[in-house]
Amino acid sequence: MADMDRRTFLGTGVAAGALLSLGGCATPRDDSRSGDGGAGDASYSGEVPDFALDEITLDEIHEGMRSGEHTCRSITEMYLDRIEALNRQGPRLFAVLEVNPDALEIADALDREFQASGPRGPLHGIPILLKDNIDTADGMTTTAGSTALRGSIAPQDSFVAAGLRGAGALLLGKANMSEWAGWKSFEFGASGWSGRGWDGGRGGFCSNPYALDRTPGGSSSGSGAGASANLAVAAIGSETDGSIVGPSSRNCLVGIKPTIGLHSRGGVIPIAHSQDSTGPMARTVRDAAIMLGTMVGVDPRDPLTAASAGNFLTDYTGALDPGGLSGARVGVLREYAGFDSRVDALFEEALDVMRAEGATVVDPVTLPEELRFGNEYEMEVLYHEFKADLNAYLASLGPGAPIKSLAELIEYNEANHDLELALYGQELHVRSQERGPLTDQKYLDALAASHRLSRDEGIDRAMNEHRLDALVGITAGIPALQDPLDASGGGGGGCSTPPAMAAYPNMSVPMGFISGLPVGMSLCGRAWSEATLIRLAYAFEQATNHRRPPTFRASVRV
């Protein structure tokens, strides 16, 4: 496949993060739908109301609950008010598709539990947004942003949602996303849009809270914008190749894409089981680390989680060492830089910080060229697995599922052209449907080649050869202007593909700003090395403190 074709979707975290879910609408923001404000609406002054919980951390919320300053209900009410003020009014972020209709009742129950027996777990009473492809068996739907699954309520919680509830979290709402995580058309040119966004005025075109005409990245667009804009304490995203780390970079967040199998994909609308994962997106490394450990465990619904037994921690906070860079060895993915001199300058400053904190920086470290440019192996794996995995997910919904197969989805899109195909086609769906079963030799060969390039000849080789603790690179470029007609997405950069193909962990941490727009740095490594990456990221975060809240400017000149 041509390089540009692949970069449009997968690769590299280039425009929207990845699978660069790029959906679109007729204009970057169609303000004719309503008069409730927006980046292009004179009724929006560019200011947002003060927020008492702005930038609050998990620990600070729990301190407030213990002191009596906050209750679960008061916290939930404040976040619901915040969503009301910013999601479809004011800056019109369109980061949240729906809120939990039972949120206040759940908050009251959590308050009673807290008074009677103390916190259920490390997330007790913490409002969290979930990407709209993560099943919750409650009053919220799970649609992957598609009108084809309109009204679909899962028969049981995803393993991830159940873990969050078990830790005491309040699942506040479903975050907007690029439809089907971007796995729909080669022509998609803007992230954060879904067909569901036009369903009765729900959703819309998700905006970056640092500049409303810029991309928030995809496909976890609403998770990124919502967590950064303080619409919740944190969010859960999902990634196949860059969809957690890309939006985290563009929204000044910490994002962790774990080793495949650390988090179950049971009850998560898929692209491909060889690369899909959920993960936390938060404003601090500590918050992300706390959340990561609440969603681990072996799940019979996801056979790949069996490998995590003995390799996961339920508490990753022991890795939070401010001196964690001292004595570390990190290798620089220099070949993934060079696309923007301004971003390169930030990256050099980040490497200098690492050296000053005691790390040995090995520069450069090379990976196979096929991982940087388009290769047919990853695409072939995704074609085959999307068909098999989506059909299995739809079957799990039971006989009442709105659609029951990929073939029916294709037919639905064709029959609802104005909702789903007005600007872009569905050739990725069609090509996936044309693939055979997972026993096909073409698929088996592609998967073997993908792992050989990314693991044996890639990350494992490089880390063993240079005795590295992690590889470091630029997560993504400057957030690009939202342009649904520009399939390249703009922005440049990204090193998400090697760990995505390898099924290894990847983590993004804020690296700085260019003209007020955030840029992130990635740390990736061997399988099950999440604690090591957290240690390095935390030390970098503590030495730099790059996180700043968004400014909600209508536009920024770069």
Side-chain angles (χ1 to χ4, degrees):
M1 169 176 291
D3 178 34
M4 182 57 71
D5 284 345
R6 183 171 176 279
R7 284 178 177 271
T8 303
F9 295 94
L10 303 180
T12 60
V14 178
L19 265 205
L20 294 179
S21 71
L22 302 174
C25 55
T27 60
R29 184 174 295 279
D30 181 1
D31 288 310
S32 65
R33 289 194 303 126
S34 67
D36 61 355
D41 193 317
S43 66
Y44 173 57
S45 66
E47 298 179 357
V48 299
D50 291 337
F51 185 48
L53 302 179
D54 205 39
E55 299 293 288
I56 199 167
T57 65
L58 298 178
D59 292 339
E60 289 167 343
I61 284 184
H62 283 160
E63 288 172 9
M65 291 172 63
R66 287 190 293 269
S67 70
E69 178 183 1
H70 300 305
T71 64
C72 298
R73 185 181 179 94
S74 71
I75 291 165
T76 302
E77 287 177 334
M78 283 190 277
Y79 279 113
L80 290 173
D81 289 344
R82 177 77 165 180
I83 292 171
E84 178 67 22
L86 303 188
N87 197 53
R88 295 194 184 97
Q89 302 182 67
R92 297 179 72 199
L93 295 176
F94 294 125
V96 181
L97 286 170
E98 62 181 304
V99 296
N100 192 330
D102 303 315
L104 293 178
E105 292 180 17
I106 295 169
D108 288 340
L110 288 167
D111 278 328
R112 291 192 295 270
E113 182 179 343
F114 188 83
Q115 291 298 320
S117 56
R120 183 187 307 174
L123 300 180
H124 192 102
I126 302 296
I128 290 175
L129 294 173
L130 278 73
K131 189 174 178 178
D132 187 40
N133 61 349
I134 300 172
D135 281 352
T136 54
D138 51 21
M140 296 186 288
T141 62
T142 307
T143 72
S146 173
T147 62
L149 289 177
R150 180 169 34 202
S152 179
I153 294 180
Q156 68 179 111
D157 271 347
S158 61
F159 189 87
V160 164
L164 293 168
R165 292 192 207 271
L170 191 153
L171 306 186
L172 185 65
K174 291 296 180 73
N176 201 359
M177 60 179 288
S178 306
E179 188 177 55
W180 297 111
W183 191 255
K184 187 174 181 182
S185 171
F186 284 118
E187 298 174 348
F188 279 174
S191 58
W193 178 91
S194 62
R196 182 182 169 186
W198 303 109
D199 181 16
R202 289 160 40 168
F205 202 99
C206 188
S207 292
N208 189 314
Y210 291 87
L212 302 177
D213 61 350
R214 298 268 165 178
T215 177
S219 60
S220 304
S221 313
S223 298
S228 188
N230 288 272
L231 303 188
V233 180
I236 306 298
S238 72
E239 173 163 332
T240 307
D241 187 337
S243 285
I244 290 173
V245 295
S248 294
S249 173
R250 292 171 174 86
N251 291 280
C252 201
L253 295 174
V254 176
I256 303 175
K257 190 280 289 188
T259 306
I260 302 305
L262 189 75
H263 285 176
S264 168
R265 283 75 54 83
V268 179
I269 299 177
I271 290 180
H273 63 265
S274 291
Q275 295 187 193
D276 288 351
S277 182
T278 61
M281 301 170 68
R283 294 184 292 270
T284 69
V285 174
R286 179 175 175 82
D287 283 2
I290 292 171
M291 293 170 65
L292 183 69
T294 67
M295 297 175 279
V296 299
V298 176
D299 179 11
R301 287 187 286 172
D302 183 351
L304 293 185
T305 59
S308 72
N311 288 307
F312 65 74
L313 301 175
T314 57
D315 182 359
Y316 284 89
T317 60
L320 300 173
D321 178 4
L325 281 164
S326 179
R329 291 178 61 85
V330 297
V332 179
L333 296 175
R334 181 64 61 181
E335 293 172 316
Y336 293 82
F339 58 88
D340 188 315
S341 60
R342 298 163 297 180
V343 177
D344 286 348
L346 282 185
F347 190 40
E348 295 306 323
E349 292 175 7
L351 296 178
D352 286 342
V353 168
M354 290 184 160
R355 294 185 184 99
E357 292 296 308
T360 297
V361 177
V362 181
D363 186 6
V365 171
T366 61
L367 298 177
E369 188 173 359
E370 293 94 329
L371 300 179
R372 190 160 58 96
F373 296 108
N375 72 75
E376 71 275 18
Y377 307 118
E378 184 181 21
M379 291 297 290
E380 200 59 53
V381 168
L382 303 190
Y383 282 135
H384 279 83
E385 292 190 0
F386 180 69
K387 178 181 179 180
D389 294 351
L390 181 63
N391 286 342
Y393 171 81
L394 295 173
S396 76
L397 298 178
I403 56 171
K404 297 177 175 61
S405 67
L406 175 56
E408 286 191 15
L409 171 60
I410 293 169
E411 292 174 1
Y412 172 88
N413 289 339
E414 291 173 348
N416 294 272
H417 188 279
D418 289 347
L419 281 174
E420 295 291 348
L421 301 177
L423 286 181
Y424 306 117
Q426 57 175 336
E427 59 271 22
L428 289 173
H429 287 177
V430 172
R431 292 189 187 189
S432 294
Q433 178 61 25
E434 292 170 347
R435 265 41 181 196
L438 299 185
T439 55
D440 277 4
Q441 195 61 45
K442 187 174 185 180
Y443 163 73
L444 296 173
D445 290 345
L447 183 61
S450 180
H451 287 167
R452 171 179 54 80
L453 286 167
S454 60
R455 297 176 180 178
D456 302 341
E457 300 174 12
I459 293 173
D460 291 334
R461 177 202 55 78
M463 296 191 71
N464 291 335
E465 180 180 327
H466 298 287
R467 296 176 288 111
L468 301 175
D469 295 289
L471 296 168
V472 61
I474 297 167
T475 306
I478 301 169
L481 288 167
Q482 286 278 30
D483 185 355
L485 302 181
D486 176 11
S488 71
C495 59
S496 64
T497 295
M501 291 174 63
Y504 288 176
N506 191 13
M507 185 171 181
S508 186
V509 63
M511 186 171 70
F513 289 81
I514 296 172
S515 299
L517 297 172
V519 178
M521 180 184 74
S522 280
L523 292 156
C524 66
R526 300 178 178 87
W528 319 115
S529 64
E530 284 80 6
T532 297
L533 302 185
I534 288 168
R535 172 172 58 85
L536 301 178
Y538 183 74
F540 180 81
E541 174 196 59
Q542 296 302 297
T544 59
N545 293 305
H546 283 308
R547 166 70 192 177
R548 298 204 303 264
T551 51
F552 304 99
R553 289 178 291 177
S555 183
V556 173
R557 177 173 293 183
V558 176

